[in-house]
Amino acid sequence: MTQPNSIDAVQQMLGRQGYVCGRALATVVFLSLKLGRPLFLEGEAGVGKTEIAKALASGLNRRLIRLQCYEGLDASSAVYEWNFPAQMVAIRTAEASGGAERGALQAELFSDEYLIERPLLQAMRPDENGAPVLLIDELDRTDEPFEAFLLEALSDFQVTIPELGTVAAPQPPIVIVTSNRTREVHDALKRRCLYHWVDYPDFEREIEILHARAPEAADALSREVVAFVQRLRTEDLFKKPGVAETIDWAKCLLALDVMNLSPEVIGDTLGAILKYQDDIQKLQGSEVKRILDEAKATLEPV
């Protein structure tokens, strides 16, 4: 599929994949595609940053390559590894058969046959469907040395394997970098990217999202669910529920054949929207009823 040629076309393409986004986000996605610049998305966990990459890959019919970041991630783990067990078998086989010329054996051992490609190297390879979407997820979990390496990789869109040489992307991948902002990412890397803060949606936008992701939910239940979650986000919680939790909760309620929210139903299903016991304990007793009453008071009759 060709890339969308307007901001409206980006919104429509993402919408067909079940991802509802505002014009500001659609604009920065369009510019990222048009200019070939990485897109850096920050925001609270669960607001849909990772889903943007998934929807974009699906909408463009491109391969999605995901690099899940974690503390201690280094360049070799993100780019490539050698299949050491297979190499050892090849060495033992050569020895058992009377040995092989040293240079030829070394060339064989450090060839593509024994190379395990990790996400960054995979993203540099040509693809018949076009450049893949490279999702570098939760970059804030990594250490600063990896950031420095990534800065170089995203500048030239190439990586170096000492035994094989430099691998350059024939066409730069579509890069989406996400961060939950558990720490600040270095300015030098941000400057390489277009930036957007993905915030919690307003009421109407979250209703649209819920209708797209859980269309079987009745409108009345959807409105109550979104109103309650949005009111819950104003409470002093350790981890406020994201859009992902709104969708999960609505699906749980549908599985229980719930038609309308009640304090009892909410109390039984809090684990779908709150993930920390301290937060759940804050909503014991009359607190759930208070928040539900306040949420329903904001709803206009339909």
Side-chain angles (χ1 to χ4, degrees):
M1 179 179 176
T2 58
Q3 293 188 5
N5 57 9
S6 69
I7 298 168
D8 290 337
V10 169
Q11 282 186 293
Q12 293 166 9
M13 179 191 71
L14 294 176
R16 288 192 294 270
Q17 311 309 315
Y19 191 94
V20 178
C21 73
R23 188 168 182 84
L25 178 54
T27 299
V28 76
V29 170
F30 171 74
L31 290 173
S32 175
L33 295 173
K34 186 79 171 178
L35 303 177
R37 295 279 298 280
L39 177 57
F40 189 94
L41 302 174
E42 273 192 324
E44 298 293 337
V47 294
K49 303 184 296 298
T50 299
E51 292 300 317
I52 293 174
K54 294 179 179 179
L56 195 57
S58 180
L60 294 173
N61 192 30
R62 304 291 180 89
R63 182 184 179 194
L64 175 65
I65 300 173
R66 180 174 182 171
L67 173 61
Q68 180 60 55
C69 298
Y70 55 86
E71 186 178 351
L73 177 66
D74 58 14
S76 62
S77 299
V79 180
Y80 75 99
E81 291 181 272
W82 290 109
N83 189 340
F84 291 117
Q87 287 174 323
M88 290 304 299
V89 170
I91 292 172
R92 297 291 182 245
T93 301
E95 290 174 347
S97 63
E101 196 273 321
R102 183 181 181 86
L105 179 59
Q106 184 172 351
E108 178 187 345
L109 291 175
F110 294 101
S111 63
D112 288 342
E113 181 181 354
Y114 297 96
L115 184 67
I116 301 174
E117 297 187 356
R118 297 305 184 194
L120 287 183
L121 181 55
Q122 293 173 18
M124 304 298 172
R125 298 298 195 186
D127 192 300
E128 60 181 11
N129 290 329
V133 175
L134 173 61
L135 169 62
I136 303 173
D137 212 12
E138 298 182 324
L139 180 62
D140 52 317
R141 292 179 177 271
T142 63
D143 305 315
E144 290 188 8
F146 181 77
E147 268 189 51
F149 161 75
L150 191 61
L151 179 64
E152 180 182 356
L154 294 184
S155 297
D156 302 324
F157 291 106
Q158 64 181 32
V159 293
T160 299
I161 303 172
E163 299 86 352
L164 296 178
T166 299
V167 178
Q171 185 179 0
I174 300 166
V175 181
I176 307 289
V177 184
T178 75
S179 168
N180 293 335
R181 210 175 187 180
T182 57
R183 69 168 179 85
E184 287 294 333
V185 173
H186 201 280
D187 287 344
L189 194 142
K190 284 187 174 181
R191 284 197 298 270
R192 289 281 187 272
C193 308
L194 298 177
Y195 177 86
H196 187 78
W197 175 266
V198 184
D199 208 348
Y200 295 115
D202 60 21
F203 180 83
E204 294 301 330
R205 181 76 64 194
E206 196 158 5
I207 284 289
E208 284 185 64
I209 294 170
L210 192 54
H211 283 164
R213 301 303 295 271
E216 63 274 23
D219 186 62
L221 178 62
S222 296
R223 290 170 60 82
E224 287 186 0
V225 164
V226 171
F228 183 86
V229 171
Q230 295 223 335
R231 180 63 189 81
L232 196 57
R233 290 181 188 135
T234 66
E235 297 292 310
D236 182 22
L237 299 174
F238 180 76
K239 172 63 179 70
K240 301 181 190 301
V243 179
E245 283 73 34
T246 304
I247 297 168
D248 286 345
W249 190 35
K251 291 180 178 179
C252 289
L253 296 173
L254 287 171
L256 296 173
D257 296 323
V258 173
M259 301 300 295
N260 298 99
L261 290 183
S262 67
E264 294 75 23
V265 167
I266 295 172
D268 290 341
T269 57
L270 272 178
I273 45 177
L274 298 177
K275 308 302 181 180
Y276 290 88
Q277 179 60 19
D278 289 348
D279 288 342
I280 292 175
Q281 284 183 331
K282 288 180 181 179
L283 297 188
Q284 300 302 315
S286 61
E287 282 299 289
V288 167
K289 185 178 186 306
R290 174 185 65 81
I291 296 172
L292 179 59
D293 289 343
E294 291 175 358
K296 287 186 175 180
T298 65
L299 295 175
E300 299 178 359
V302 292

